[in-house]
Amino acid sequence: MQLIDGKTIALGIRADIQQEIARLKIRPGLAAILVGENPASKIYVRNKRKACEEAGIYSMEHSLPEETSEADLLSLIRKLNDNPAIHGILVQLPLPKSLNERKILDAVAPQKDIDGFHYMNVGKLTANESGFYPCTPLGVIALLKATDVKIAGLHAVVVGRSNIVGKPTALLLLHENVTVTLCHSKTQDLPQICQQADILVAAIGKARFVTAEMVKEGAVVIDVGINRTEDGKLVGDVDFESVAKKASAITPVPGGVGPMTIAMLLGNTLQAAKWALSNG
Ligand code: NDP
């Protein structure tokens, strides 16, 4: 069984990005917008900013109060769209319920939309055209490519159909010529479908939901889930202990997909800066 070491793979990617930034002598800039006091979001933004600084990416943070109006947030995004020192804009989700998430995400200039959430980038992903794609799904693909398995032609089952993880992961797999089944909470006979997967991606948000009985012998298992158990432990959507005995390769949690998400964000920011450079 191969343990897919996302932490080490991500560090390698981050080192490559750092080197490329140094070689090109550029200073990519990322602006993170955080609205409200969600503790997990604060940690995510802090980690993303730290990773940026290490890679040579300038980062700024706008922490706004929970009661920020839509007009004020849109006005900030417009300013950042016009700021030539900023190449990537990240609006940390979830936003407070009072704000129209779709409207906010679509206000980010598509060429600065390093999370790949703008409609234009969603469309480009669907059409398999180059654009910014969401970071966690990009991380999933990069991890699969880091295994010895040739994924084209295989059958992947993705459990979870969210717009930020499950659905874009299914599309990226499809573009890699994988045959994809996308499952969700209304799927019938989920265990039986999962058993048919050569590649099983769990993006559900339920601790240790995927058990060994749901996994085919020799499958590659990618666990996107991040869940905290009652005793404070971080676990994935996959019951690692039992599934690892059946899988040919599996990601751990923590240390699997999580670090890759940040590495992909840095990569997208570098790409945005290079785009700005070549388009004056
Ligand atoms: P969402 O809650 O948006 O989506 C969960 C998906 O799982 C939904 O499509 C839902 O189906 C499906 N689902 C829920 N229960 C079941 C069930 N019993 N059987 C089958 N499908 C089910 O979560 P996200 O996609 O945002 O995140 C998923 C997980 O990934 C979370 O643990 C999150 O913390 C983690 N995550 C990790 C990241 C990383 O960097 N590693 C980044 C982002 C998320 P339906 O649509 O029918 O409701």
Side-chain angles (χ1 to χ4, degrees):
M1 191 273 298
Q2 181 192 357
L3 184 72
I4 309 172
D5 182 355
K7 198 172 166 191
T8 303
I9 297 167
L11 281 175
I13 294 171
R14 284 167 59 172
D16 289 348
I17 291 169
Q18 185 181 16
Q19 274 177 18
E20 189 171 352
I21 289 172
R23 184 174 57 77
L24 294 173
K25 297 190 173 61
I26 56 173
R27 183 89 164 132
L30 176 132
I33 302 176
L34 182 61
V35 187
E37 296 294 322
N38 184 325
S41 293
K42 281 186 171 179
I43 294 171
Y44 291 144
V45 168
R46 198 199 311 142
N47 290 343
K48 288 170 187 175
R49 290 195 65 202
K50 193 164 160 264
C52 278
E53 299 295 349
E54 278 172 22
I57 296 173
Y58 162 70
S59 92
M60 60 154 78
E61 180 179 333
H62 293 269
S63 284
L64 308 176
E66 182 90 20
E67 57 280 5
T68 300
S69 72
E70 203 164 276
D72 285 350
L73 183 52
L74 289 171
S75 147
L76 170 63
I77 292 173
R78 268 184 233 113
K79 272 193 208 124
L80 294 170
N81 283 343
D82 292 339
N83 181 345
I86 293 300
H87 306 99
I89 301 170
L90 174 167
V91 181
Q92 184 63 44
L93 300 179
L95 286 169
K97 297 240 176 320
S98 56
L99 298 168
N100 181 337
E101 188 174 289
R102 183 32 65 198
K103 198 168 163 190
I104 304 295
L105 295 178
D106 282 341
V108 175
Q111 67 275 16
K112 295 192 177 187
D113 171 39
I114 37 113
D115 264 331
F117 293 157
H118 188 288
Y119 264 147
M120 188 181 284
N121 285 315
V122 175
K124 286 187 170 181
L125 169 59
T126 308
N128 197 13
E129 289 173 17
S130 70
F132 289 113
Y133 300 159
C135 301
T136 301
L138 280 178
V140 170
I141 301 296
L143 287 178
L144 284 171
K145 289 188 172 170
T147 67
D148 303 331
V149 181
K150 287 214 164 27
I151 64 173
L154 296 183
H155 178 207
V157 173
V158 179
V159 190
R161 58 172 163 183
S162 72
N163 287 332
I164 60 173
V165 188
K167 215 182 288 175
T169 299
L171 284 165
L172 285 176
L173 286 165
L174 192 63
H175 301 329
E176 295 290 335
N177 293 318
V178 173
T179 302
V180 184
T181 303
L182 183 53
C183 301
H184 44 79
S185 68
K186 309 289 186 293
T187 298
Q188 288 182 3
D189 298 328
L190 182 69
Q192 190 243 328
I193 295 173
C194 291
Q195 280 160 16
Q196 294 169 27
D198 303 310
I199 299 164
L200 183 59
V201 181
I204 309 159
K206 294 206 160 124
R208 302 185 179 115
F209 180 89
V210 175
T211 53
E213 305 79 71
M214 296 166 75
V215 178
K216 180 161 96 174
E217 195 74 47
V220 176
V221 180
I222 307 287
D223 189 353
V224 182
I226 302 176
N227 312 286
R228 208 168 273 283
T229 58
E230 275 174 13
D231 53 1
K233 208 176 157 208
L234 268 194
V235 299
D237 290 345
V238 174
D239 180 35
F240 184 87
E241 298 298 317
S242 65
V243 173
K245 295 193 180 100
K246 267 181 130 178
S248 63
I250 185 168
T251 59
V253 176
V257 176
M260 293 299 285
T261 298
I262 293 194
M264 296 298 125
L265 182 79
L266 302 185
N268 277 355
T269 307
L270 171 58
Q271 195 188 318
K274 281 167 43 179
W275 184 90
L277 210 66
S278 59
N279 288 277

